[in-house]
Amino acid sequence: LAGGYHPACAQPVHLVPPPGCLDRRRVAMAPMAAPRRLHVHFCDAGEATEVLVPSGQDIRSTVSQKIGVPAHEIALELLDGEVAYDPALYATCSDIRAVRRCGGAARRGEGSAGSQQQQQPTVLFNFPSAKILLTTEGIFSQETAVYELLDNALESVYLRRRASGTPSSYIPQVVLLLDLERNILRVVDNGRSLTYGELVMWGQLGTSDHQKHGDSASGFFPVRYSRFGVGSKGAGKALLGEGGELSMARVEGGSGTKLTMPIAKMMAAAEEGDRKGEWKQPVSSWQPDAQVRALMGREGWGDKATCFEVLGVKGNTLAVVEAMLTQQGGLADKVCDKYLPCLVSDDPSSAARALPEMEGFARQPIRTSIELGARRIKLNDEIFGNGEVDNLRCSQIILARQIRDQHLEELFPQAAGSHSAATRAADPSCPSMTKVFDGICEADGKRGSWRLVLEYFPSINGSKSMPPVVEPGCFEVRWNGRLLSEERTKSFQFTEPAGAKELLGRGFPKDLPEAVWQCFTGTLYLDGNFAVDPTKNALLHDSSVDSLVQNLFRKWDSRAEKQRGHGSARSSPLSSPGFGSPGYGPGGGNSPREVASMRQQQQLDAAQKKKEEMVPLAKEMCAWLHECRTNVDEDVIFVAEGTDLTLRDVDAARGTFKATTNHVRISGKNFVAPFRDEESLEAKDPDPKKRLLVKIAVRKQEEFAEVCDFQFDGSFNTGSALRDSDVTEACRQATSGFVRFWRWTHARVTEQPELLPLTSLRNKVAERDWKRHVTAAKKHLPSELRIKSDAVSTNSHPVIDVGKPIAFEDAASAKGPGFFVVEVLNGKDPKEAMPGGLRGKLTFEVNGRKVGEITQPSAGGEYWFACPHAHNRGGASLKAGRNTCTFRGAREGERDLELKFDVTVDPAERPERLFLDRGVEEVRLGDTLPRLCLEALDATGQRFDLDPRHVSVHLKVGGGAELELHSKDRKTPLRAGREPRRVAFEHLQLRGKLNLSSSARSNVRPATLVFRYEQPQSQPQQQLEDLEMHVQVSSGPVARLDLDAEQTPLEPGKPLPALELHAFDAWDNPATEETVRLSVAPEGSLQLKDSEVVTDSKGKHKLKARWAAVSSAPAVGNATVTFSSAGVSKALAVPIVQPPAARVELVCPDSVGSGESFELELVAYSEGGAEVAVPEIDLGALQLAVAGSDIEPPDYTWQQDGLRLRSTCSVIGKVGTITLTLPPVAHDILSTADAKQLQLCAGAAAGIHVSEQEVRNGSEFTINASVVDSAGNKLETGQYTWQVEASAPDELYVKAATRRCQPSPSLRACVCTKRVLSQSTPHAVTIRATPTDGAPTLEEEVQLQLRPAELPSQIALYRRSDEDVLPVMGRIQAVAGEMLPELLVSLSLETGEEHRRVQQCQLEVSWQGESHKRHDTFPSDSRSAFLVSGLPASTTAGVHKLKLTLHNFKAAHATADEQRKLAATLKASSRSKTVAEIDVTVLPAAPLGLQLVGDEVLSLQDDTIVTDVDLRLVDAHGNVIDETFDVTVTLTPPATPPADTESTTAVLQQPLPNSTLKVKRGKLKLSTLRLSNYGRSGEYSLDFTKADGSLAGSVPIAYTDPAEEKADAERLRQEIARRQADLHEKKRLCGEATTRHDAAKRALADAQGELRETEAEERARKKRQVSMSFDEAQAKLAETQPPDEAQISEDARRLGTLLGAMEEEPTVPLLLDDEEGVRRYTRAEVDGRPLEGGAVLRVSQLEPGKWAVDEVTRTRHGDETCQRRGVFDYTADAYKMKRAVVAGGALFAPATTR
């Protein structure tokens, strides 16, 4: 009860106690104040009387006054009667009982037992209790109701285990009993059991204040789940069916009690609203039944038991539970998962497997089971998979951890056995699979601990090891170790990839894929200080309360922060000021906008602080995931770069595809297959060493395989086409897929590759292991086929001997030559016959044609095949000669077995027919026929071996032709290898006359070639039929040509006469249809109409007139026409004569360029217009006359060129028309005009023409330039790139855009000198023209005369005087610390004038490291200038620089566009600023006096000597003043008189007093300074006086006496001790004040409560309608009079006492008088009060409502030191409360009087 019972105010419970309890007595008589409102049940002979004792009042006195029993006779005890009541121990109890004191403790116990036997106690249930029970509907489901009952049982055994005196043999046990036959559910435990009083309180509803137990927050696994009140009753009601009962029973020492709740009556009354219903339920005795007794007999149970029973469970609930009990998701599974920490044993290995990283925390294992009759499910064993329940969620997680740890042991053998921190230290490369984050939350004065344990489950063999029962990337929440199954918070911001990216920004590791964030899971452990919902399945997320839950998840969960922003708008009245409050509205100090700004700033600060706290956690999280993935993960990476990426299958409708690659990386190991053809899948590189050979897991066996490629799935946007980038990106993102492979035994098992997941891929296979595997497989497979020649032969089945030939007659017989016998041998050495033969078919082929096949061999493994006979009907047959026989058998995964051998069949004796290999239809006489091969076939259609001696050829001719066959005996035998011989007839020719008639229409004759086989004499005389070949014979090739023509001399252009051509062959036969070609020599002399002619059937061809003509300009002499055909030619000579010249012409071009060369020709023509040779003319006299403008005489020479005279000429001059005139010597033969006109144009570009001009400095001007030739002619065509540059860029700036234009452009340019131009000066500008066709660049330099313009020249500086403005010459002067004189700043221009509007510019003054840009203008019409004033002079004497800079120069009358161009020009010319520097001489100020160099005060002690004391005569700024004068030195003692009148003062020993010293140039140096006489301590002064009596300076000297210094140290130590004592006293007084403050608050709350109750009763009374007589009214009025002092309640008197004891105004405890000691003083008593030693107390205001008390002490040097002694606080809660109560009492007094 002390640790677990927290009752609150509720309806009173009336107990009927047994008699005999009134004689009990207690010895303790000390006053006992109630810690809270207490219900005391006084047990007398009758009913129990209840007394309400307010908090703070004495319990016995109050009960004594109410009951009338003396206080010393009253004993207080708990309701069970076994424990005496102590308010310090049982401060939370709200109900106790009181009895009369009688005998000792033993007698009280006996009396109690006797009374229980005499009368059975009862529990009173009333309507409020039923109403409370009705409110529990909807809270519990049937599942959560079971959890609620188990919570109570688990906590009971937990408390008993922790209780003192528990035997070591005790084993905590909880059993859930399910009785399907009786429909009963029980929860039985062997915990601390219920006492009698607790059992009674269990029956009372509403006695819980829903607070946690005292130690529920200690650790992560305290089993403190339950709460008194309606928890178990509400849970039982959720399970209860109609007409059922709830009961609680307890047993201890063999006997027990039982209480059954009247649920049906209570619920009926609650539903009907019967407020007067009361039900007394007896607490009956109970004897455990056999089922409970069996449980109590188990090992470690003990003698106590508690049983909660639900009789009549709702519906078929138990049947459903039984059906799902052992299944996944059933009751056993969920209970094991929810209470896992309670089920794990103390074994460290078990704890480490079930609760990683939590085995070091205190935990209590509890033996738990679920039982149905004889069936018992031990949940402690089930969690490790050792029971009958399959697929428990927790057991699956434990199994996944075991698989993961085994994988780690394989990777890191040194860390095998465990993966704790100690083991991982042995192998530093072994990463930790768990990551722990922990911390503490604080809110509203509470502290809560949390611990987040994350587990990493790596990929093993390419597949995820994450158990399927957990949610990847999330964690579950356990409160006190109990799983909160409905908690919605699954992650923190730093455990999510998006949150980590947001926190780290660019610091987020790029090589950490998002898939890794799905490889971990975890658990968040919370202690009991975190609030949960009523069902304890989720945390209590209440945004309106600043709880630990809100503090934790607002801090770490980003979504909780977002939900907070969209949550309730409620806020604390202290956090948000309302209207009229001191911090809001008019006069409040802060406007609403300021308050919102402050809140926003607070939120930003909180967000920044939160981010700073979470960034390290996010970095740790990323580092942990990266380490696990790098060292442990066996993930799959599809490589896209440099691989054979092939698209296999595309589904455009769904947007999916399949693709393959030849490269994957698994756990850092590369698997690279060769590139393959997309269709045939054959490797592009045939090297067998490039194959990827691996082991594949196929149906739980590892087999050898060759990898084809790796397949993965991808997706793309259905709205667009599939791109290569989509395939590449899908390859990079893929983490799982398939491998395509061929299995191998001794060869490939299948033709097409198989497909399996990548998880089946194992290690690579070395080449030697692969060969060893193939060799071993081949030994047991068929390796050879062999002919069994020793097989037994019979008449019906003769066996063919393949070593002997077969006679042709046997081969050609109908039944065939016999059988072949084949056997199969294996691969062993020596080889053995395989009786079973092949698994497939054995096929027999002869000469490539299939004969047949056999599937099963005969006995002994022999295959018998019949050999086909020889025939020519098609299909398989034997042939004469060599026959190839093939036996072929299929092998699994290997190439077919093949046996080939030859069978020889003897040839036939005679052929059957003859034939030729080719045919010939047309033959010309004299032409050699192609080779004709004569062949023969036997009866089977095979070639027959011909003998040349037995074959011949003959010719048959008809029609009168005389022909003969030549070379008919040239026969050649042909044989190819072993093939039969053939006979070849070569060089056969036909010769002779055809004797064609003149009237014959055909020019051919028919003939026949006859081939004959002559039978040998040894063979039968059966002549073979001749073979004839019919041909058409025509005339032979041309052998002779004849011409019939006349020869006549011809002039150019004349035609040739007709002629006739005849052609004959070698036998004078007309050569018909022969082509004759014509050719002319010399070439071009004649023009032929046709170059070829063809003879007709008579061998003739007639050429008509004009078949050829002489050309227009032939060479004089004979021309020849040659007729040729087949190497035979005939020539025809044609003589040609030349005509005389009729006219001569001068030929020249129409236009030429100046200076360019051109051609002149003299051409002669005949009368017919034909060109002829120019007549002979004196070439020396043939000189041309040239007429034109500025033409230079041409230079030329005539030369003979064929028929013409040629000359090359060039003319230089101006553009225009020129005339060429021939000399008179040529006029005799000219038939045309004697002059030739042509146009002279501009020639090649030779230079640039530009004129000089005068330009204003800084202005823009135009340059007119032209490209000219050597004669000065301007070019009109062409494109040039024009550039204008300064010849001296350091002196001149030129701005001109590069243009691409015609040869004569107008170029715009702007020029400006880079220095001030004081007078007109020439400057050179270079102009370049670059042709766009790549010709050389033309360049010309032109001189520009630049004249000064209105451009800035220099700054003019002036000083203001009384009468005029004077220019500043040289430097200016100023006094240190004062102002510089006013200056006028103007600007001089290049023209010598001053700028008239200088205020348009910007002046910047740089002085003493600062820039001044704001200046006034000089108010004068005659001068435009800036007024520079207000510049403070430097405090350091010397020469300083004053820098003046004028920016943004603007001309006086320039437009905006002109000003913009001018500014750009000045900037480019480096003249945008005009700078001037002036020297400013700063003089020292008035002398201040002599001062020490360095220290401000000299410190001396006793007679210490100080050497080299430097003094300087300085002004107020420390500048040394250069003056020389004499001073007198004296020593002045301290002004304060000594406390000791006998003490002396120190005197000046060195230098001597009143001695004269000389100050030279402001410097004075004392070589020795010494004081003597051991004077008193104090501040002395070393004074220097001038001759006129004025003080030249004073140096302070701090002189210390050692005795006084020691005394001061002692006083300081005493002061420190006194202040320390004051501090301790303040702490004590503060504690007392806090105690009084708490008591006052409680008293105020009670008083206010009573006041509210009184007011409520008064309001209710006034509302009631009163109907009474006058006397009754008078009596009622008397009752309403204010009560006298005797009627004031005890609480009110106590409140008055407390308020009276409180101080009227704040005081401070001080020790001011040793006799009075420490006492409290008010502010008026303290302020200005003197203390010993000259100190004074001073009160000053710190802030509104707070005043500080300081002890002020003056030092010897005149300074004040303050020491804080206390603070008067008018803002304390106690002071405010008293003022509020006093004010409330003042208002309430009149109301009470009324």
Side-chain angles (χ1 to χ4, degrees), residues 331-352:
L331 181 61
D333 185 9
K334 292 184 177 180
V335 171
C336 289
D337 203 22
K338 185 170 288 290
Y339 301 105
L340 178 64
C342 300
L343 304 178
V344 181
S345 64
D346 291 332
D347 185 6
S349 61
S350 301

Side-chain angles (χ1 to χ4, degrees), residues 835-1041:
L838 297 173
R839 293 185 180 180
K841 302 176 182 179
L842 183 61
T843 307
F844 176 36
E845 298 177 357
V846 174
N847 296 326
R849 292 181 177 270
K850 183 176 180 181
V851 177
E853 61 184 21
I854 297 177
T855 304
Q856 294 293 334
S858 59
E862 298 176 349
Y863 293 85
W864 287 71
F865 288 92
C867 182
H869 66 280
H871 59 85
N872 59 356
R873 296 187 299 273
S877 67
L878 291 178
K879 305 296 181 182
R882 184 173 61 186
N883 295 267
T884 302
C885 297
T886 304
F887 292 92
R888 184 176 292 107
R891 288 190 297 177
E892 184 180 0
E894 280 281 351
R895 294 181 179 177
D896 295 345
L897 286 178
E898 193 174 78
L899 173 62
K900 285 186 178 182
F901 59 92
D902 294 336
V903 176
T904 303
V905 177
D906 291 337
E909 295 182 354
R910 57 181 295 277
E912 286 291 329
R913 65 186 180 91
L914 300 176
F915 70 94
L916 289 173
D917 62 344
R918 69 172 64 189
V920 179
E921 295 180 356
E922 297 180 357
V923 179
R924 295 180 64 185
L925 295 176
D927 289 350
T928 302
L929 274 68
R931 188 178 68 174
L932 301 176
C933 293
L934 183 64
E935 302 182 30
L937 300 178
D938 59 12
T940 62
Q942 296 295 312
R943 290 177 179 176
F944 182 79
D945 190 15
L946 285 179
D947 190 348
R949 296 171 299 175
H950 299 155
V951 295
S952 62
V953 61
H954 306 280
L955 178 64
K956 291 193 302 183
V957 182
E962 299 177 2
L963 300 177
E964 58 181 5
L965 184 61
H966 282 260
S967 302
K968 61 181 180 179
D969 295 332
R970 298 186 64 176
K971 299 177 289 187
T972 305
L974 299 179
R975 183 190 295 270
R978 296 183 178 181
E979 293 182 358
R981 288 179 296 176
R982 299 175 297 169
V983 177
F985 293 91
E986 300 177 333
H987 306 291
L988 293 178
Q989 289 184 354
L990 295 180
R991 299 176 183 179
K993 284 186 168 291
L994 296 177
N995 294 329
L996 297 173
S997 62
S998 58
S999 62
R1001 295 181 180 180
S1002 175
N1003 56 356
V1004 296
R1005 290 288 188 180
T1008 303
L1009 293 176
V1010 179
F1011 296 90
R1012 182 174 300 157
Y1013 177 78
E1014 297 179 357
Q1015 198 76 10
Q1017 296 294 332
S1018 58
Q1019 296 181 1
Q1021 297 298 322
Q1022 184 178 356
Q1023 189 63 34
L1024 197 63
E1025 183 179 359
D1026 293 340
L1027 178 65
E1028 295 184 352
M1029 183 177 70
H1030 301 283
V1031 297
Q1032 297 291 331
V1033 184
S1034 61
S1035 60
V1038 176
R1040 177 168 55 88
L1041 293 175

Side-chain angles (χ1 to χ4, degrees), residues 561-722:
E561 188 68 25
K562 295 176 183 177
Q563 293 171 1
R564 180 189 180 190
H566 299 285
S568 174
R570 295 176 56 192
S571 60
S572 173
L574 297 178
S575 61
S576 115
F579 292 98
S581 61
Y584 193 91
N590 293 327
S591 64
R593 181 175 297 177
E594 292 175 347
V595 173
S597 178
M598 292 170 59
R599 289 181 180 175
Q600 184 178 7
Q601 185 61 35
Q602 291 174 359
Q603 293 175 359
L604 293 176
D605 295 342
Q608 181 64 26
K609 181 179 179 182
K610 172 183 174 182
K611 183 174 182 181
E612 292 176 356
E613 293 178 356
M614 282 199 294
V615 164
L617 301 182
K619 290 182 179 179
E620 290 184 29
M621 187 73 186
C622 293
W624 175 61
L625 291 177
H626 184 271
E627 182 185 14
C628 294
R629 177 179 181 268
T630 305
N631 298 328
V632 181
D633 243 331
E634 293 186 350
D635 53 352
V636 178
I637 299 176
F638 285 81
V639 181
E641 290 75 11
T643 60
D644 186 15
L645 201 59
T646 306
L647 200 61
R648 295 291 181 187
D649 188 11
V650 180
D651 188 349
R654 297 182 179 180
T656 60
F657 63 88
K658 297 182 184 298
T660 58
T661 181
N662 70 314
H663 187 184
V664 298
R665 187 179 298 112
I666 302 177
S667 301
K669 299 179 182 178
N670 288 308
F671 292 85
V672 183
F675 289 3
R676 297 186 180 275
D677 184 78
E678 187 173 352
E679 298 296 334
S680 63
L681 299 181
E682 293 297 329
K684 296 181 180 179
D685 189 350
D687 187 0
K689 295 183 179 180
K690 300 296 181 61
R691 297 180 300 178
L692 178 55
L693 309 175
V694 297
K695 282 188 177 182
I696 294 286
V698 182
R699 293 185 293 274
K700 298 183 180 181
Q701 293 184 356
E702 290 189 358
E703 299 189 11
F704 287 79
E706 177 188 357
V707 174
C708 175
D709 48 32
F710 306 96
Q711 179 177 301
F712 61 91
D713 297 336
S715 62
F716 64 97
N717 188 5
T718 55
S720 59
L722 179 61

Side-chain angles (χ1 to χ4, degrees), residues 361-567:
F361 291 88
R363 185 175 47 81
Q364 179 61 57
I366 301 173
R367 184 178 297 176
T368 309
S369 61
I370 302 176
E371 301 185 12
L372 292 86
R375 185 180 180 186
R376 181 181 181 187
I377 301 176
K378 300 179 180 179
L379 301 184
N380 304 80
D381 299 333
E382 297 289 348
I383 60 176
F384 294 103
N386 300 328
E388 59 177 300
V389 184
D390 297 330
N391 297 324
L392 283 180
R393 181 177 181 272
C394 54
S395 62
Q396 292 186 53
I397 298 175
I398 294 173
L399 178 60
R401 293 192 186 108
Q402 293 176 351
I403 296 174
R404 178 193 64 192
D405 294 342
Q406 291 176 2
H407 174 62
L408 289 177
E409 291 175 3
E410 295 176 1
L411 295 179
F412 307 99
Q414 295 182 7
S418 175
H419 297 281
S420 61
T423 309
R424 288 193 299 269
D427 191 349
S429 61
C430 175
S432 173
M433 292 294 101
T434 56
K435 183 64 178 177
V436 179
F437 300 93
D438 51 16
I440 296 176
C441 291
E442 296 184 1
D444 196 18
K446 298 180 181 179
R447 291 168 58 91
S449 299
W450 61 271
R451 184 178 179 88
L452 177 60
V453 179
L454 302 179
E455 292 187 76
Y456 191 87
F457 289 90
S459 297
I460 302 176
N461 294 329
S463 61
K464 302 294 183 182
S465 63
M466 175 76 70
V469 295
V470 300
E471 187 175 356
C474 300
F475 56 75
E476 59 187 16
V477 182
R478 289 189 179 272
W479 168 78
N480 276 356
R482 188 185 192 272
L483 178 64
L484 304 182
S485 55
E486 298 178 4
E487 173 56 36
R488 64 180 181 269
T489 302
K490 300 294 184 181
S491 62
F492 287 154
Q493 185 174 4
F494 62 87
T495 64
E496 298 176 347
K501 289 181 181 178
E502 181 181 355
L503 291 172
L504 299 181
R506 296 184 178 179
F508 185 83
K510 298 181 180 179
D511 57 346
L512 193 64
E514 291 192 4
V516 179
W517 295 84
Q518 300 297 316
C519 294
F520 70 87
T521 184
T523 305
L524 176 64
Y525 294 92
L526 303 176
D527 64 10
N529 289 325
F530 290 86
V532 295
D533 64 2
T535 61
K536 297 189 283 290
N537 281 330
L539 292 171
L540 186 60
H541 296 271
D542 188 359
S543 60
S544 62
V545 179
D546 190 13
S547 63
L548 291 176
V549 177
Q550 291 298 316
N551 184 284
L552 175 64
F553 293 104
R554 286 175 187 169
K555 183 175 183 180
W556 303 119
D557 190 358
S558 59
R559 290 168 297 187
E561 188 68 25
K562 295 176 183 177
Q563 293 171 1
R564 180 189 180 190
H566 299 285

Side-chain angles (χ1 to χ4, degrees), residues 256-270:
T257 55
K258 181 177 182 180
L259 176 62
T260 303
M261 295 185 64
I263 293 293
K265 298 179 180 179
M266 296 172 63
M267 297 307 299

Side-chain angles (χ1 to χ4, degrees), residues 138 159 218 275 284 371 393 417 512 533 777 789 840 849 926 980 999 1134 1163 1226 1236 1257 1274 1295 1451 1488 1623 1669:
L159 293 176
S218 59
R275 298 179 175 272
S284 60
E371 301 185 12
R393 181 177 181 272
L512 193 64
D533 64 2
S789 301
R849 292 181 177 270
S999 62
V1134 179
V1163 185
K1236 191 75 173 180
N1257 191 17
K1274 295 183 180 180
K1295 179 184 178 182
L1488 181 63
L1623 178 61
S1669 63

Side-chain angles (χ1 to χ4, degrees), residues 126-394:
N126 52 13
F127 175 77
S129 302
K131 197 67 176 178
I132 293 175
L133 188 62
L134 188 63
T135 59
T136 62
E137 292 186 357
I139 296 179
F140 295 101
S141 63
Q142 292 184 346
E143 180 181 331
T144 57
V146 175
Y147 297 154
E148 179 70 21
L149 300 180
L150 290 176
D151 286 346
N152 296 335
L154 292 170
E155 181 173 356
S156 177
V157 298
Y158 171 77
L159 293 176
R160 182 178 180 185
R161 183 65 176 175
R162 294 189 58 185
S164 60
T166 303
S168 60
S169 60
Y170 171 73
I171 300 177
Q173 301 182 47
V174 174
V175 181
L176 176 61
L177 297 175
L178 305 177
D179 192 341
L180 272 67
E181 296 180 359
R182 297 186 296 171
N183 198 18
I184 297 176
L185 181 145
R186 287 181 173 180
V187 178
V188 186
D189 65 82
N190 66 339
R192 55 186 294 273
S193 183
L194 295 175
T195 63
Y196 175 81
E198 290 174 337
L199 181 61
V200 171
M201 283 188 292
W202 174 86
Q204 177 61 46
L205 282 77
T207 58
S208 174
D209 62 354
H210 296 279
Q211 293 182 357
K212 299 176 183 178
H213 302 286
D215 59 347
S216 62
S218 59
F220 291 111
F221 301 116
V223 186
R224 305 305 299 271
Y225 308 138
S226 66
R227 298 170 178 174
F228 278 96
V230 298
S232 59
K233 276 80 72 178
K237 181 179 175 300
L239 294 171
L240 195 63
E242 185 175 357
E245 293 182 354
L246 296 180
S247 62
M248 174 68 80
R250 54 175 290 271
V251 61
E252 182 176 359
S255 63
T257 55
K258 181 177 182 180
L259 176 62
T260 303
M261 295 185 64
I263 293 293
K265 298 179 180 179
M266 296 172 63
M267 297 307 299
E271 292 175 357
E272 294 174 359
D274 184 7
R275 298 179 175 272
K276 297 182 179 181
E278 292 184 351
W279 307 274
K280 288 185 179 181
Q281 197 72 8
V283 181
S284 60
S285 62
W286 178 70
Q287 293 295 330
D289 56 8
Q291 196 176 38
V292 177
R293 289 196 304 271
L295 295 179
M296 296 181 66
R298 292 180 180 175
E299 178 188 3
W301 186 281
D303 59 346
K304 295 183 180 181
T306 305
C307 176
F308 181 89
E309 181 180 277
V310 180
L311 176 60
V313 181
K314 185 185 299 183
N316 60 342
T317 301
L318 296 184
V320 174
V321 170
E322 182 191 22
M324 292 287 295
L325 184 58
T326 59
Q327 298 182 12
Q328 185 175 4
L331 181 61
D333 185 9
K334 292 184 177 180
V335 171
C336 289
D337 203 22
K338 185 170 288 290
Y339 301 105
L340 178 64
C342 300
L343 304 178
V344 181
S345 64
D346 291 332
D347 185 6
S349 61
S350 301
R353 283 189 296 160
L355 303 170
E357 302 295 340
M358 299 300 292
E359 60 269 18
F361 291 88
R363 185 175 47 81
Q364 179 61 57
I366 301 173
R367 184 178 297 176
T368 309
S369 61
I370 302 176
E371 301 185 12
L372 292 86
R375 185 180 180 186
R376 181 181 181 187
I377 301 176
K378 300 179 180 179
L379 301 184
N380 304 80
D381 299 333
E382 297 289 348
I383 60 176
F384 294 103
N386 300 328
E388 59 177 300
V389 184
D390 297 330
N391 297 324
L392 283 180
R393 181 177 181 272
C394 54

